Amino acid sequence: YYILQKKLTAMYSLPYQITYYTAISTLLLIALYYNLSGYGYRADIGWVIASISPLLWAGVGIGIAISVSVIGAAWGIFLTGSSILGGGVKAPRIRTRNLISIIFCEAVAIYGIIMAIVLSNKIQHYDQTKAAVDDAYFRTQLFAGFAIFGAGLTVGFTNLACGICVGQVGSGAALADAQNGALFVRILIIEIFGSAIGLFGVIISIIQSSGAQMTP
């Protein structure tokens, strides 16, 4: 069976590698041709990005901020909660004090909600007619949309990583506490530092969106 599997892997890997490297080489050659011949603007996608409404960028950023943060919190609660329930079978005493790990995971979602509220207050009406004739207005609105989008990405994915981190450490804390109660406080310190990652994301997203304000 092992020999057959090895042969099948070798047989299918060669066409895949040929297709993959051919596609990459073709794209590189096209990119070099455009850049060296002075037609690089043909491969430019900036006009697509600039043509999208700033309200859409801002709305997507706010949506990512809250939704991905909630996913991180749910993931962390899933990891921690399953370990608390499993370890509680052997040591019922861990079920109460290990709920602090659940609170840390839930705080990740709260970070996302807070930033979503902060960012939504920066959104104002976008006048496309005015943007078509006033370049300064258009640039201000576009910058605000990009900044809110970037801030939403930052806080969302930072909280996703934070939730997974806190959940994994909380899971270990529950299992270690079930085995030896003296280990809980030591692991809890690590969990507190892991929870601080979400605060870093909130602070960075505030800095990113500090100069963004849509004007009516």
Side-chain angles (χ1 to χ4, degrees), residues 79-80 82-95 97-98 101 167-191:
L79 294 172
T80 304
S82 57
S83 296
I84 293 174
L85 294 175
V89 175
K90 179 182 177 182
R93 58 180 174 79
I94 74 168
R95 290 179 297 182
R97 64 178 180 178
N98 276 276
S101 299
Q168 193 66 44
V169 176
S171 173
L175 297 177
D177 187 23
Q179 186 69 26
N180 184 359
L183 296 175
F184 175 75
V185 177
R186 299 175 183 177
I187 300 180
L188 184 63
I189 295 173
I190 302 174
E191 193 170 358

Side-chain angles (χ1 to χ4, degrees), residues 72-81 83-84 98-109 111 158-174 187-199:
W75 200 333
I77 293 173
F78 164 72
L79 294 172
T80 304
S83 296
I84 293 174
N98 276 276
L99 289 178
I100 191 170
S101 299
I102 302 295
I103 296 173
F104 281 141
C105 293
E106 191 65 31
V108 173
Y111 296 155
T158 302
N159 286 334
L160 175 63
C162 178
I164 296 172
C165 172
V166 173
Q168 193 66 44
V169 176
S171 173
I187 300 180
L188 184 63
I189 295 173
I190 302 174
E191 193 170 358
I192 292 172
F193 282 109
S195 180
I197 296 174
L199 289 175

Side-chain angles (χ1 to χ4, degrees), residues 48-62 122-128 131 137-149 214-215:
V48 178
I49 298 175
S51 63
I52 298 175
S53 172
L55 287 176
L56 178 60
W57 288 112
V60 171
I62 294 171
K122 296 178 178 293
I123 296 180
Q124 299 291 336
H125 173 68
Y126 175 64
D127 190 350
Q128 290 184 337
Y137 173 80
F138 173 71
R139 291 177 180 273
T140 301
Q141 301 295 88
L142 198 61
F143 168 77
F146 288 158
I148 295 173
F149 176 73
M214 289 187 172
T215 55

Side-chain angles (χ1 to χ4, degrees), residues 20-35:
Y20 174 78
Y21 287 113
T22 301
I24 294 296
S25 300
T26 303
L27 291 175
L28 287 175
L29 288 174
I30 293 173
L32 285 173
Y33 169 75
Y34 278 143
N35 286 317

